[in-house]
Amino acid sequence: MQQSVSFTGGQAVVASLRAHHIEVVFGIPGVHNLPIYDALYDEPGIRHVLARHEQGAGYMADGYARIAGRPGVALVITGPGVTNIATPLADAYADSVPLLVIATSLPGKTDGRSWGRLHELKDQLGLAQSLVGWCHEVQRVAEIPEAIAEALRQTRAGRPRGAFLQIPLDVLEEQESISLAALEESDAEPPAAPSEEALRRAVELLRAAQRPVILAGTGVSAAGANHELLRLAELLQAPVLLGGKSHDVLPNDHPLVITTRGAPSRTLGPLLSRSDLALVIGSKLGMQRTTLPALERSRSGPTEAGRLPLPERLIHIDIDAGEIGRRYPASVGLVADARLALIALLEGLQENPGQYEDRREEVAAVRAALSKRAFQIYGEVMPWLEALRTALPRESVVVADMTMAGYAAAQVFPVYEPRSFIHASELCSIGTGLPLALGAQLAAQGRPVVALCGDGGFLQNVGELATAAQERIPVVTIVFNDASYTAVKNDQLQRFPGRSIATTLEPPDYVALAHAFRIEGQRVEAPEALVALLARRIGQPAEEARPLLIEVPLSQQSH
């Protein structure tokens, strides 16, 4: 006989999350979701982190998911709570992040008509549906455990995506008997293995190649395939190109690894033109990664020539069948979990791997050229990034916001461990650095976490310093202050010479601002001072660590 317990809707939400081993949730209470918060009061196994804005809560859950490799969960209210968290949901879809948002909704059907009720939206579920991979509304308390189980399954099944579950206000307060068996965690779906025929053809192509090149995306880390990728790259002697989002897939100091942001063909072109096969793993080959800069496109002629020139023979491994062949024709497509696919390729090549050229000198030349190019573009911030790398332990986590220092870090900042770098560059929403880093710190217990922020972006979510202080999350936030939306101003002046408007900022006193939030604030004038400050900070016992804001003054552009 199955045992049942009477739950309110709010209690069913919390019990279901706990049953699925959710340990941290992010959110802001409102009158619409108080039944959930009342249930959290009685659940010591779930830590609630109080954000100051729903966008901050969403990005904290996002940062947590990226570093932990498990779903991040956020709680929001009807109406403005949902519209405020829409940007993190869109980012999770773009970057394949397992993010679950649980929202309340108004009871009853509106049939598209406005009733003028508190927090009313025209079509809240429809709004969410346009942003996520899975969307659902429950109508009874008894449906909640199954819905949360399915939502969490959807965030992890196949390609990770955001999920959205909404629960009407009246359902949260109603009571209903729920079988305890409904709260049991179901077995995870086995990862998808590659087909035998596709695997055979892929092995043949790899065996026949002499100068293969590998392009790796975030799907490698999502599958936990980092070790297998490194083994295969060494077997093939293949250069591995990492993008801005997949910057941490392999140790950046490995002699076969090339880190890039964008598609600089003048630097990568010679290496790619000598390659006779491309192996793409866990990357959709999006336009952010494969479209050439405008200057190079203008020189290369037709639009088709404005793409990164990959070899005609191409093997594409991805968990999402819809991405294979979308941007580049695939000679062989393997719809499979990246780890299982790489294990199978290694086994297939074990007895007769083929004859491959040693390309480490080519890789070294490309890395030197990319580093020189980065110094030309990002010159002023480069010594600061070198100082940061000197000061940080190898396993540290760096979150690069949409700022010049962040763009430079995604190109050249060395990282060495999987899930140690975040650069949410596809949706490219500025101001995400601090909340992403707060969530990342909760997942990266005991590891230093540093957010690289521009002054303009930082101010968009500055209120989350209050979260850092209240929750005692020891994130180090570095604000690079040049009193400008620099990337926008540079583009503005290039396209409209001498005509700059709305891109110059009046900066606050960032150290005083930190003190106002009751956290430590320091201004450093030289990279050596940054090294010394971080060395003192990292040497502190973990129980004494507190949030720290560091202002780095940069040259301020003229109006």
mmCIF file of all heavy atoms in Angstrom, residues 78 103-110 117 123-126 128-129 134-140 143-144 147 164-171:
data_model
loop_
_atom_site.group_PDB
_atom_site.id
_atom_site.type_symbol
_atom_site.label_atom_id
_atom_site.label_comp_id
_atom_site.label_asym_id
_atom_site.label_seq_id
_atom_site.Cartn_x
_atom_site.Cartn_y
_atom_site.Cartn_z
ATOM 1 N N THR A 78 4.350 36.107 -10.376
ATOM 2 C CA THR A 78 3.585 36.392 -11.576
ATOM 3 C C THR A 78 3.964 37.748 -12.171
ATOM 4 O O THR A 78 4.355 38.667 -11.452
ATOM 5 C CB THR A 78 2.080 36.442 -11.213
ATOM 6 O OG1 THR A 78 1.803 35.409 -10.287
ATOM 7 C CG2 THR A 78 1.203 36.318 -12.439
ATOM 8 N N ALA A 103 7.493 29.779 -11.551
ATOM 9 C CA ALA A 103 6.770 31.049 -11.410
ATOM 10 C C ALA A 103 5.339 30.784 -10.989
ATOM 11 O O ALA A 103 4.773 29.707 -11.241
ATOM 12 C CB ALA A 103 6.793 31.814 -12.732
ATOM 13 N N THR A 104 4.746 31.770 -10.363
ATOM 14 C CA THR A 104 3.316 31.701 -10.093
ATOM 15 C C THR A 104 2.554 32.297 -11.272
ATOM 16 O O THR A 104 3.115 33.005 -12.111
ATOM 17 C CB THR A 104 2.977 32.483 -8.816
ATOM 18 O OG1 THR A 104 3.460 33.816 -8.949
ATOM 19 C CG2 THR A 104 3.623 31.827 -7.615
ATOM 20 N N SER A 105 1.264 31.992 -11.339
ATOM 21 C CA SER A 105 0.403 32.566 -12.375
ATOM 22 C C SER A 105 -0.957 32.863 -11.765
ATOM 23 O O SER A 105 -1.313 32.334 -10.704
ATOM 24 C CB SER A 105 0.254 31.604 -13.559
ATOM 25 O OG SER A 105 -0.385 30.396 -13.149
ATOM 26 N N LEU A 106 -1.702 33.708 -12.420
ATOM 27 C CA LEU A 106 -3.034 34.053 -11.941
ATOM 28 C C LEU A 106 -3.990 32.892 -12.188
ATOM 29 O O LEU A 106 -3.885 32.190 -13.201
ATOM 30 C CB LEU A 106 -3.540 35.307 -12.652
ATOM 31 C CG LEU A 106 -2.715 36.570 -12.379
ATOM 32 C CD1 LEU A 106 -3.216 37.714 -13.251
ATOM 33 C CD2 LEU A 106 -2.770 36.950 -10.911
ATOM 34 N N PRO A 107 -4.923 32.649 -11.280
ATOM 35 C CA PRO A 107 -5.862 31.541 -11.484
ATOM 36 C C PRO A 107 -6.873 31.879 -12.577
ATOM 37 O O PRO A 107 -7.180 33.050 -12.834
ATOM 38 C CB PRO A 107 -6.552 31.409 -10.123
ATOM 39 C CG PRO A 107 -6.421 32.768 -9.507
ATOM 40 C CD PRO A 107 -5.134 33.334 -9.991
ATOM 41 N N GLY A 108 -7.372 30.835 -13.220
ATOM 42 C CA GLY A 108 -8.438 31.020 -14.205
ATOM 43 C C GLY A 108 -7.909 31.392 -15.570
ATOM 44 O O GLY A 108 -6.773 31.816 -15.743
ATOM 45 N N LYS A 109 -8.747 31.224 -16.574
ATOM 46 C CA LYS A 109 -8.409 31.527 -17.951
ATOM 47 C C LYS A 109 -8.851 32.939 -18.295
ATOM 48 O O LYS A 109 -9.928 33.380 -17.906
ATOM 49 C CB LYS A 109 -9.086 30.531 -18.911
ATOM 50 C CG LYS A 109 -8.708 29.075 -18.674
ATOM 51 C CD LYS A 109 -7.233 28.824 -19.003
ATOM 52 C CE LYS A 109 -6.878 27.342 -18.840
ATOM 53 N NZ LYS A 109 -5.460 27.087 -19.129
ATOM 54 N N THR A 110 -8.010 33.651 -19.042
ATOM 55 C CA THR A 110 -8.357 35.020 -19.419
ATOM 56 C C THR A 110 -8.930 35.100 -20.830
ATOM 57 O O THR A 110 -9.540 36.095 -21.188
ATOM 58 C CB THR A 110 -7.104 35.916 -19.358
ATOM 59 O OG1 THR A 110 -6.154 35.474 -20.328
ATOM 60 C CG2 THR A 110 -6.478 35.875 -17.972
ATOM 61 N N ARG A 117 -6.133 42.673 -13.320
ATOM 62 C CA ARG A 117 -5.718 42.086 -12.051
ATOM 63 C C ARG A 117 -4.247 42.386 -11.769
ATOM 64 O O ARG A 117 -3.469 42.690 -12.675
ATOM 65 C CB ARG A 117 -5.962 40.574 -12.070
ATOM 66 C CG ARG A 117 -7.435 40.207 -12.177
ATOM 67 C CD ARG A 117 -7.639 38.711 -12.121
ATOM 68 N NE ARG A 117 -7.091 38.027 -13.291
ATOM 69 C CZ ARG A 117 -7.147 36.716 -13.488
ATOM 70 N NH1 ARG A 117 -7.725 35.945 -12.577
ATOM 71 N NH2 ARG A 117 -6.645 36.173 -14.570
ATOM 72 N N ASP A 123 -0.201 37.065 -21.927
ATOM 73 C CA ASP A 123 -0.008 35.621 -22.117
ATOM 74 C C ASP A 123 1.330 35.240 -21.496
ATOM 75 O O ASP A 123 2.346 35.137 -22.185
ATOM 76 C CB ASP A 123 -0.032 35.261 -23.607
ATOM 77 C CG ASP A 123 0.087 33.754 -23.858
ATOM 78 O OD1 ASP A 123 0.120 32.979 -22.871
ATOM 79 O OD2 ASP A 123 0.157 33.359 -25.027
ATOM 80 N N GLN A 124 1.334 35.032 -20.183
ATOM 81 C CA GLN A 124 2.583 34.749 -19.474
ATOM 82 C C GLN A 124 3.219 33.449 -19.947
ATOM 83 O O GLN A 124 4.428 33.378 -20.178
ATOM 84 C CB GLN A 124 2.317 34.687 -17.972
ATOM 85 C CG GLN A 124 3.559 34.372 -17.142
ATOM 86 C CD GLN A 124 3.330 34.513 -15.661
ATOM 87 O OE1 GLN A 124 3.091 35.625 -15.172
ATOM 88 N NE2 GLN A 124 3.373 33.395 -14.933
ATOM 89 N N LEU A 125 2.417 32.414 -20.121
ATOM 90 C CA LEU A 125 2.965 31.126 -20.558
ATOM 91 C C LEU A 125 3.520 31.238 -21.978
ATOM 92 O O LEU A 125 4.552 30.657 -22.299
ATOM 93 C CB LEU A 125 1.891 30.037 -20.478
ATOM 94 C CG LEU A 125 2.400 28.589 -20.462
ATOM 95 C CD1 LEU A 125 3.219 28.323 -19.212
ATOM 96 C CD2 LEU A 125 1.245 27.607 -20.549
ATOM 97 N N GLY A 126 2.832 31.993 -22.809
ATOM 98 C CA GLY A 126 3.312 32.176 -24.171
ATOM 99 C C GLY A 126 4.636 32.929 -24.210
ATOM 100 O O GLY A 126 5.521 32.625 -25.024
ATOM 101 N N ALA A 128 6.940 32.875 -21.854
ATOM 102 C CA ALA A 128 7.978 31.929 -21.433
ATOM 103 C C ALA A 128 8.271 30.899 -22.520
ATOM 104 O O ALA A 128 9.429 30.521 -22.735
ATOM 105 C CB ALA A 128 7.551 31.229 -20.149
ATOM 106 N N GLN A 129 7.237 30.455 -23.210
ATOM 107 C CA GLN A 129 7.412 29.442 -24.243
ATOM 108 C C GLN A 129 8.397 29.894 -25.317
ATOM 109 O O GLN A 129 9.137 29.082 -25.900
ATOM 110 C CB GLN A 129 6.065 29.110 -24.887
ATOM 111 C CG GLN A 129 6.125 28.037 -25.972
ATOM 112 C CD GLN A 129 6.550 26.688 -25.411
ATOM 113 O OE1 GLN A 129 5.888 26.138 -24.558
ATOM 114 N NE2 GLN A 129 7.668 26.167 -25.897
ATOM 115 N N TRP A 134 11.319 23.939 -22.606
ATOM 116 C CA TRP A 134 10.164 23.203 -22.059
ATOM 117 C C TRP A 134 9.372 24.159 -21.191
ATOM 118 O O TRP A 134 9.941 24.936 -20.420
ATOM 119 C CB TRP A 134 10.640 22.009 -21.228
ATOM 120 C CG TRP A 134 9.533 21.171 -20.654
ATOM 121 C CD1 TRP A 134 8.914 20.123 -21.253
ATOM 122 C CD2 TRP A 134 8.934 21.299 -19.352
ATOM 123 N NE1 TRP A 134 7.961 19.580 -20.410
ATOM 124 C CE2 TRP A 134 7.948 20.298 -19.240
ATOM 125 C CE3 TRP A 134 9.133 22.169 -18.277
ATOM 126 C CZ2 TRP A 134 7.172 20.124 -18.095
ATOM 127 C CZ3 TRP A 134 8.347 22.007 -17.136
ATOM 128 C CH2 TRP A 134 7.388 20.995 -17.058
ATOM 129 N N CYS A 135 8.050 24.102 -21.329
ATOM 130 C CA CYS A 135 7.181 25.056 -20.640
ATOM 131 C C CYS A 135 5.881 24.344 -20.278
ATOM 132 O O CYS A 135 5.327 23.594 -21.088
ATOM 133 C CB CYS A 135 6.903 26.228 -21.584
ATOM 134 S SG CYS A 135 6.106 27.642 -20.833
ATOM 135 N N HIS A 136 5.363 24.586 -19.043
ATOM 136 C CA HIS A 136 4.169 23.863 -18.611
ATOM 137 C C HIS A 136 3.502 24.608 -17.471
ATOM 138 O O HIS A 136 4.146 25.332 -16.710
ATOM 139 C CB HIS A 136 4.555 22.449 -18.161
ATOM 140 C CG HIS A 136 3.396 21.598 -17.754
ATOM 141 N ND1 HIS A 136 2.435 21.166 -18.648
ATOM 142 C CD2 HIS A 136 3.041 21.090 -16.536
ATOM 143 C CE1 HIS A 136 1.542 20.429 -18.006
ATOM 144 N NE2 HIS A 136 1.877 20.380 -16.730
ATOM 145 N N GLU A 137 2.191 24.427 -17.345
ATOM 146 C CA GLU A 137 1.435 24.931 -16.205
ATOM 147 C C GLU A 137 0.658 23.782 -15.580
ATOM 148 O O GLU A 137 0.023 22.990 -16.296
ATOM 149 C CB GLU A 137 0.460 26.030 -16.624
ATOM 150 C CG GLU A 137 -0.347 26.580 -15.442
ATOM 151 C CD GLU A 137 -1.309 27.686 -15.841
ATOM 152 O OE1 GLU A 137 -2.136 27.464 -16.746
ATOM 153 O OE2 GLU A 137 -1.223 28.775 -15.251
ATOM 154 N N VAL A 138 0.713 23.671 -14.256
ATOM 155 C CA VAL A 138 -0.064 22.653 -13.557
ATOM 156 C C VAL A 138 -1.407 23.238 -13.141
ATOM 157 O O VAL A 138 -1.560 24.455 -13.028
ATOM 158 C CB VAL A 138 0.682 22.106 -12.318
ATOM 159 C CG1 VAL A 138 1.999 21.482 -12.722
ATOM 160 C CG2 VAL A 138 0.906 23.200 -11.293
ATOM 161 N N GLN A 139 -2.378 22.353 -12.878
ATOM 162 C CA GLN A 139 -3.707 22.795 -12.457
ATOM 163 C C GLN A 139 -4.120 22.213 -11.114
ATOM 164 O O GLN A 139 -5.130 22.635 -10.536
ATOM 165 C CB GLN A 139 -4.757 22.397 -13.517
ATOM 166 C CG GLN A 139 -4.566 23.057 -14.864
ATOM 167 C CD GLN A 139 -4.679 24.568 -14.799
ATOM 168 O OE1 GLN A 139 -5.410 25.120 -13.981
ATOM 169 N NE2 GLN A 139 -3.957 25.259 -15.675
ATOM 170 N N ARG A 140 -3.328 21.248 -10.598
ATOM 171 C CA ARG A 140 -3.640 20.609 -9.319
ATOM 172 C C ARG A 140 -2.366 20.397 -8.526
ATOM 173 O O ARG A 140 -1.275 20.257 -9.089
ATOM 174 C CB ARG A 140 -4.313 19.251 -9.543
ATOM 175 C CG ARG A 140 -5.697 19.290 -10.148
ATOM 176 C CD ARG A 140 -6.195 17.868 -10.346
ATOM 177 N NE ARG A 140 -6.042 17.068 -9.126
ATOM 178 C CZ ARG A 140 -5.843 15.748 -9.119
ATOM 179 N NH1 ARG A 140 -5.752 15.080 -10.256
ATOM 180 N NH2 ARG A 140 -5.722 15.105 -7.959
ATOM 181 N N GLU A 143 -0.255 17.333 -9.360
ATOM 182 C CA GLU A 143 0.545 17.344 -10.594
ATOM 183 C C GLU A 143 1.949 17.904 -10.376
ATOM 184 O O GLU A 143 2.827 17.724 -11.222
ATOM 185 C CB GLU A 143 -0.163 18.191 -11.655
ATOM 186 C CG GLU A 143 -1.518 17.672 -12.094
ATOM 187 C CD GLU A 143 -2.218 18.658 -13.027
ATOM 188 O OE1 GLU A 143 -1.552 19.597 -13.506
ATOM 189 O OE2 GLU A 143 -3.420 18.495 -13.260
ATOM 190 N N ILE A 144 2.167 18.573 -9.251
ATOM 191 C CA ILE A 144 3.425 19.303 -9.068
ATOM 192 C C ILE A 144 4.646 18.387 -9.039
ATOM 193 O O ILE A 144 5.647 18.671 -9.728
ATOM 194 C CB ILE A 144 3.345 20.184 -7.801
ATOM 195 C CG1 ILE A 144 2.363 21.341 -8.048
ATOM 196 C CG2 ILE A 144 4.722 20.711 -7.410
ATOM 197 C CD1 ILE A 144 2.090 22.203 -6.829
ATOM 198 N N ALA A 147 5.471 17.281 -12.513
ATOM 199 C CA ALA A 147 5.866 18.403 -13.365
ATOM 200 C C ALA A 147 7.294 18.852 -13.065
ATOM 201 O O ALA A 147 8.078 19.141 -13.986
ATOM 202 C CB ALA A 147 4.893 19.564 -13.186
ATOM 203 N N PHE A 164 10.517 26.153 -17.796
ATOM 204 C CA PHE A 164 9.661 27.115 -17.098
ATOM 205 C C PHE A 164 8.409 26.384 -16.635
ATOM 206 O O PHE A 164 7.700 25.759 -17.436
ATOM 207 C CB PHE A 164 9.280 28.256 -18.049
ATOM 208 C CG PHE A 164 8.403 29.307 -17.430
ATOM 209 C CD1 PHE A 164 8.950 30.375 -16.740
ATOM 210 C CD2 PHE A 164 7.018 29.239 -17.550
ATOM 211 C CE1 PHE A 164 8.139 31.356 -16.183
ATOM 212 C CE2 PHE A 164 6.206 30.209 -16.994
ATOM 213 C CZ PHE A 164 6.765 31.279 -16.311
ATOM 214 N N LEU A 165 8.150 26.448 -15.333
ATOM 215 C CA LEU A 165 6.953 25.828 -14.761
ATOM 216 C C LEU A 165 6.176 26.899 -14.019
ATOM 217 O O LEU A 165 6.731 27.597 -13.164
ATOM 218 C CB LEU A 165 7.343 24.706 -13.788
ATOM 219 C CG LEU A 165 6.183 24.050 -13.027
ATOM 220 C CD1 LEU A 165 5.260 23.309 -13.981
ATOM 221 C CD2 LEU A 165 6.718 23.117 -11.945
ATOM 222 N N GLN A 166 4.889 27.046 -14.366
ATOM 223 C CA GLN A 166 4.091 28.016 -13.629
ATOM 224 C C GLN A 166 2.950 27.315 -12.890
ATOM 225 O O GLN A 166 2.394 26.323 -13.356
ATOM 226 C CB GLN A 166 3.577 29.139 -14.525
ATOM 227 C CG GLN A 166 2.530 28.813 -15.539
ATOM 228 C CD GLN A 166 2.118 30.079 -16.302
ATOM 229 O OE1 GLN A 166 2.889 31.018 -16.499
ATOM 230 N NE2 GLN A 166 0.870 30.112 -16.746
ATOM 231 N N ILE A 167 2.653 27.880 -11.711
ATOM 232 C CA ILE A 167 1.671 27.282 -10.805
ATOM 233 C C ILE A 167 0.689 28.372 -10.391
ATOM 234 O O ILE A 167 1.103 29.405 -9.841
ATOM 235 C CB ILE A 167 2.359 26.687 -9.561
ATOM 236 C CG1 ILE A 167 3.470 25.697 -9.982
ATOM 237 C CG2 ILE A 167 1.335 25.998 -8.668
ATOM 238 C CD1 ILE A 167 4.320 25.213 -8.813
ATOM 239 N N PRO A 168 -0.601 28.198 -10.640
ATOM 240 C CA PRO A 168 -1.583 29.227 -10.263
ATOM 241 C C PRO A 168 -1.579 29.488 -8.754
ATOM 242 O O PRO A 168 -1.305 28.606 -7.938
ATOM 243 C CB PRO A 168 -2.909 28.627 -10.726
ATOM 244 C CG PRO A 168 -2.545 27.658 -11.807
ATOM 245 C CD PRO A 168 -1.216 27.092 -11.393
ATOM 246 N N LEU A 169 -1.890 30.716 -8.397
ATOM 247 C CA LEU A 169 -1.873 31.127 -6.991
ATOM 248 C C LEU A 169 -2.739 30.238 -6.124
ATOM 249 O O LEU A 169 -2.347 29.850 -5.014
ATOM 250 C CB LEU A 169 -2.362 32.574 -6.868
ATOM 251 C CG LEU A 169 -1.654 33.651 -7.701
ATOM 252 C CD1 LEU A 169 -2.308 35.001 -7.464
ATOM 253 C CD2 LEU A 169 -0.193 33.704 -7.330
ATOM 254 N N ASP A 170 -3.930 29.917 -6.595
ATOM 255 C CA ASP A 170 -4.836 29.132 -5.763
ATOM 256 C C ASP A 170 -4.321 27.713 -5.556
ATOM 257 O O ASP A 170 -4.531 27.114 -4.494
ATOM 258 C CB ASP A 170 -6.254 29.121 -6.353
ATOM 259 C CG ASP A 170 -6.289 28.733 -7.818
ATOM 260 O OD1 ASP A 170 -5.221 28.735 -8.470
ATOM 261 O OD2 ASP A 170 -7.387 28.434 -8.337
ATOM 262 N N VAL A 171 -3.609 27.165 -6.542
ATOM 263 C CA VAL A 171 -3.071 25.812 -6.410
ATOM 264 C C VAL A 171 -1.988 25.777 -5.338
ATOM 265 O O VAL A 171 -1.859 24.781 -4.607
ATOM 266 C CB VAL A 171 -2.534 25.312 -7.761
ATOM 267 C CG1 VAL A 171 -1.843 23.952 -7.612
ATOM 268 C CG2 VAL A 171 -3.661 25.214 -8.784
#
